[in-house]
Amino acid sequence: MVAMSKIATGNGHGENSPYFDGWKAYETNPFHPTERPEGVIQMGLAENQLCFNLIKNWLIKHPEASLCTPQGVNKFKETALFQDYHGMPEFRQAVAKFMGKVRGDRVKFDPDRIVMSGGATGAHEMVAFCLADPGEAFLVPTPYYPGFDRDLKWRTGVELVPVNCESCNNFKITRNALEAAYVKVQEANLRVKGLLITNPSNPLGTVLDRDTLKSMVRFINDKNIHLIGDEIYASTVFMEPEFVSISEIIEEEDVECNRDLIHIVYSLSKDMGFPGFRVGIVYSYNDSVVSCARKMSSFGLVSSQTQHLIASILSDDEFVDNFITESKKLLFNRHKYFTWSLSQVGIGCLKGNAGLFIWMDLRKLLKEETFAAEMELWRVITNEVKLNVSPGSSFHCQEPGWFRVCFANMDDYTMKVALLRIRTFMLKNNEAMVPLKLCRPSSLKLSLSRSLSRRMDDFMSPGIMSPHSPLPQSPLVRART
């Protein structure tokens, strides 16, 4: 057998993580309401499927936006021919304007600083290549997206060093935690090149407050290291507090910052629900990084056909304004319904206001406070309950028992089936339920089969626990004491 490179044969992709193992379980037996009703439901994919009707209706009204229609075919040739890797001007202008809109027009973005890439994955790798050499390190607050270990490390050779955050203060990023991680890296004889933050957070579903952002800017400025702000969930904030971009912070008068150290990663995968279009963006305030990233974008350009379509959609101001508003409403309703339903069976979650997921607390179901117990519980949920949820350890969470659960990547029927499975699982593992009178929410209109509706009516009936109530002593809980 011909030998392959160390990069090709190594474990840098991170495919052995339980984060990806759950996907494999789903792919081998995916849920379908009629063909595979007992299949695995995908709750590990942070995808926004709630707004497709809005996009579909726009496309029907604007057939000229597609090159494959009689109305748009006249632009086929000019779009199909070679395009400069800077990107189409109308595309960069539309994306820059959209980035401003989702930040409340409190800050403007320069289209000439827009560098495109193949999704946020390509954007992160591009930034890592520009800022660090192999063996140098980025600090990353925990818990963080498992794909970062692939995106930033695999082909670049850089290291990611966790900044440990704790549930006792809702996983807030503190200056003390940043300093401790920085010292740890220095003691390991590694050079820190930057701090990577995700705001809004994946997997927490929370936003960073203004004071925390200012503290981080002061930290990177003091250390003379880079700050990469992953803001791909900027428009998924569906209730207060509002999202504050790092681009706003550096504009404030009381913030002293070397702007050459500030870089933003963005995409349309989450905010618009277009992961298949692979539209990733690097926006840097550093001229040298913009120049280098633009050259590197040759390895992951966005197709000209996609650029044309995106530019057409995002240039429609009335549609964009309505889309942003409606998307927030849909996410709010789904999040409210989902977390309320979980609370009825005693499952608590970190209080969130953004993202396409919740950070679910199952610590009381662990046999013991170990990651081995977390993995045992995760295997039960995956293989027996048939739900692909992601264990906290795959996000480098330092406390066992947390799980990320995605709620926006399915229709109402599938969500109801998933919630019914969760209820059945909790009833099986609890000896009693605490009576509690509750009102049934009416934020979602659901169309279900008669039998499933009856079972879900039982799910909504009084006599189920509050998330603030202690879980009854189930066999799983008793095993801890």
Side-chain angles (χ1 to χ4, degrees):
M1 180 178 177
V2 178
M4 297 174 66
S5 71
K6 292 180 180 178
I7 291 179
T9 57
N11 294 321
H13 184 273
E15 195 172 326
N16 295 328
S17 164
Y19 175 78
F20 293 107
D21 286 342
W23 284 47
K24 296 171 188 175
Y26 166 76
E27 289 169 356
T28 57
N29 183 27
F31 170 82
H32 187 277
T34 56
E35 297 177 7
R36 288 193 186 90
E38 303 302 321
V40 176
I41 295 177
Q42 173 63 289
M43 306 184 82
L45 176 61
E47 192 171 61
N48 187 356
Q49 296 187 19
L50 303 183
C51 298
F52 276 129
N53 281 340
L54 299 176
I55 300 294
K56 179 181 177 181
N57 291 337
W58 187 91
L59 291 172
I60 292 173
K61 294 178 182 177
H62 298 85
E64 72 282 356
S66 171
L67 303 177
C68 301
T69 62
Q71 294 86 348
V73 72
N74 287 337
K75 288 194 176 241
F76 181 86
K77 180 179 178 180
E78 64 182 88
T79 308
L81 294 176
F82 174 78
Q83 300 291 334
D84 189 276
Y85 54 66
H86 288 68
M88 294 179 174
E90 59 270 31
F91 169 77
R92 289 185 285 111
Q93 290 166 6
V95 170
K97 189 174 183 179
F98 181 73
M99 289 177 66
K101 276 185 176 290
V102 300
R103 290 155 180 81
D105 285 323
R106 295 181 297 272
V107 63
K108 293 186 180 298
F109 293 90
D110 182 355
D112 289 336
R113 292 192 176 277
I114 296 284
V115 181
M116 59 182 174
S117 72
T121 293
H124 275 293
E125 185 182 64
M126 187 186 295
V127 172
F129 268 122
C130 290
L131 302 183
D133 290 316
E136 295 180 330
F138 289 97
L139 306 179
V140 192
T142 63
Y144 67 79
Y145 169 54
F148 284 162
D149 294 318
R150 170 201 62 204
D151 300 351
L152 283 92
K153 292 175 58 177
W154 186 22
R155 300 194 300 184
T156 66
V158 304
E159 298 295 332
L160 299 185
V161 178
V163 178
N164 294 335
C165 303
E166 301 174 333
S167 64
C168 61
N169 66 351
N170 295 324
F171 299 97
K172 186 174 181 177
I173 306 170
T174 65
R175 180 67 184 252
N176 287 340
L178 292 172
E179 293 285 359
Y182 187 85
V183 170
K184 182 179 180 181
V185 176
Q186 288 188 315
E187 291 175 346
N189 294 319
L190 294 176
R191 184 183 180 189
V192 179
K193 291 303 294 286
L195 168 66
L196 169 62
I197 60 172
T198 305
N199 182 34
S201 169
N202 175 13
L204 300 179
T206 57
V207 294
L208 296 174
D209 61 74
R210 196 173 296 273
D211 289 339
T212 298
L213 287 167
K214 288 182 179 181
S215 175
M216 288 190 288
V217 169
R218 285 192 290 267
F219 172 77
I220 64 104
N221 211 49
D222 292 345
K223 306 297 184 186
N224 195 34
I225 61 176
H226 296 276
L227 175 60
I228 305 170
D230 180 318
E231 297 185 351
I232 68 174
Y233 291 94
S235 192
T236 68
V237 180
F238 45 79
M239 61 181 177
E240 294 183 345
E242 67 181 6
F243 168 68
V244 180
S245 170
I246 197 66
S247 59
E248 298 174 56
I249 296 299
I250 63 175
E251 297 280 354
E252 299 192 1
E253 293 181 359
D254 62 337
V255 174
E256 183 179 337
C257 178
N258 176 2
R259 294 195 177 197
D260 281 347
L261 300 176
I262 305 298
H263 322 276
I264 295 173
V265 169
Y266 188 60
S267 83
L268 300 181
S269 297
K270 313 303 180 181
D271 284 356
M272 292 292 293
F274 293 162
F277 283 178
R278 310 308 301 149
V279 179
I281 299 297
V282 171
Y283 189 92
S284 177
Y285 291 86
N286 186 314
D287 292 341
S288 297
V289 171
V290 171
S291 177
C292 177
R294 187 155 285 148
K295 296 171 186 174
M296 296 187 67
S297 68
S298 298
F299 296 100
L301 295 175
V302 178
S303 76
S304 55
Q305 180 176 344
T306 299
Q307 290 185 58
H308 173 75
L309 177 61
I310 294 299
S312 300
I313 294 174
L314 298 186
S315 297
D316 187 335
D317 290 338
E318 182 179 355
F319 169 77
V320 170
D321 291 340
N322 181 66
F323 180 90
I324 292 173
T325 300
E326 290 303 312
S327 176
K328 291 178 184 293
K329 289 180 181 178
L330 291 168
L331 287 171
F332 173 81
N333 287 337
R334 177 62 70 89
H335 178 273
K336 181 180 180 180
Y337 187 87
F338 200 90
T339 53
W340 182 89
S341 299
L342 291 180
S343 76
Q344 306 314 292
V345 289
I347 297 177
C349 308
L350 184 71
K351 185 178 181 180
N353 68 322
L356 311 174
F357 32 72
I358 56 142
W359 192 233
M360 183 171 67
D361 185 1
L362 296 185
R363 288 176 292 177
K364 293 179 180 180
L365 290 185
L366 299 182
K367 291 182 178 180
E368 56 186 14
E369 295 180 11
T370 65
F371 288 110
E374 176 183 280
M375 292 308 300
E376 181 179 348
L377 177 58
W378 172 76
R379 282 188 286 269
V380 170
I381 296 173
T382 302
N383 299 325
E384 298 180 21
V385 187
K386 298 294 181 67
L387 301 176
N388 172 30
V389 301
S390 306
S393 55
S394 67
F395 292 83
H396 298 269
C397 183
Q398 301 302 302
E399 302 173 23
W402 293 90
F403 294 78
R404 191 192 74 170
V405 183
C406 300
F407 61 78
N409 65 327
M410 63 192 78
D411 59 23
D412 291 341
Y413 180 89
T414 304
M415 178 193 66
K416 297 290 282 188
V417 175
L419 290 171
L420 179 60
R421 291 182 182 183
I422 292 172
R423 178 182 187 267
T424 302
F425 170 70
M426 292 300 290
L427 287 176
K428 179 180 178 182
N429 289 288
N430 286 285
E431 297 175 343
M433 305 301 283
V434 178
L436 184 66
K437 290 187 177 181
L438 294 162
C439 298
R440 182 172 181 166
S442 58
S443 57
L444 287 179
K445 294 182 179 179
L446 303 168
S447 176
L448 301 171
S449 68
R450 185 174 301 175
S451 61
L452 183 57
S453 293
R454 281 199 300 267
R455 286 184 286 165
M456 292 314 299
D457 285 339
D458 292 338
F459 188 13
M460 300 304 167
S461 64
I464 305 182
M465 300 176 61
S466 159
H468 305 295
S469 305
L471 277 173
Q473 288 295 300
S474 72
L476 286 172
V477 177
R478 284 202 304 269
R480 291 182 56 190
T481 58

